[in-house]
Amino acid sequence: QVQLVESGGGLVQPGESLRLSCAASGGIFSIYVMGWYRQAPGKQRELVATITSGGRTNYADSVKGRFSISRDNAKKTVYLQMNSLRPEDTAVYYCNARLTDTVGYWGQGTQVTVSS
């Protein structure tokens, strides 16, 4: 019904930047909350950042001041600008879109690797 297509992941050196994108498709008209989650090897999936349709944002403490989430409601796309990347940011990043309190969707995930 709803598909999320992620892009922008890759391999970068510490201190560099990446910009992730996630576009939703499938005939929906609106998405209440869009966000990014990540999962590193041996760890649980964790919240990175979320943004509501009105532009209200929320960030994990570990990324505050370095990451910035934004969205284009017309394009149904969410972005994650990641600056000052650290090796501990290495993970698979997943896009999430929530239509209601009970209906949500996940993207396939994109690998982000920070290494020298």
Side-chain angles (χ1 to χ4, degrees):
Q1 294 181 353
V2 176
Q3 290 184 309
L4 303 177
V5 180
E6 300 147 324
S7 62
L11 172 64
V12 297
Q13 297 181 3
E16 295 183 342
S17 300
L18 280 175
R19 183 176 176 85
L20 305 182
S21 299
C22 173
S25 63
I28 56 175
F29 287 95
S30 64
I31 303 172
Y32 177 46
V33 181
M34 301 189 76
W36 292 94
Y37 296 72
R38 68 186 182 187
Q39 187 167 18
K43 295 186 177 181
Q44 296 180 331
R45 185 175 299 187
E46 65 176 354
L47 168 73
V48 177
T50 61
I51 184 168
T52 69
S53 59
R56 179 165 50 86
T57 60
N58 184 51
Y59 297 93
D61 289 340
S62 60
V63 307
K64 287 181 179 178
R66 299 188 298 120
F67 292 9
S68 180
I69 189 171
S70 61
R71 65 186 287 173
D72 185 328
N73 290 329
K75 296 181 178 180
K76 296 183 177 63
T77 300
V78 64
Y79 307 92
L80 184 67
Q81 179 66 45
M82 303 184 293
N83 299 325
S84 302
L85 283 164
R86 306 166 180 170
E88 52 263 41
D89 294 318
T90 296
V92 177
Y93 284 70
Y94 296 91
C95 177
N96 176 265
R98 180 159 297 283
L99 279 61
T100 69
D101 288 340
T102 58
V103 179
Y105 299 89
W106 289 97
Q108 183 178 354
T110 184
Q111 177 70 47
V112 172
T113 302
V114 185
S115 176
S116 60

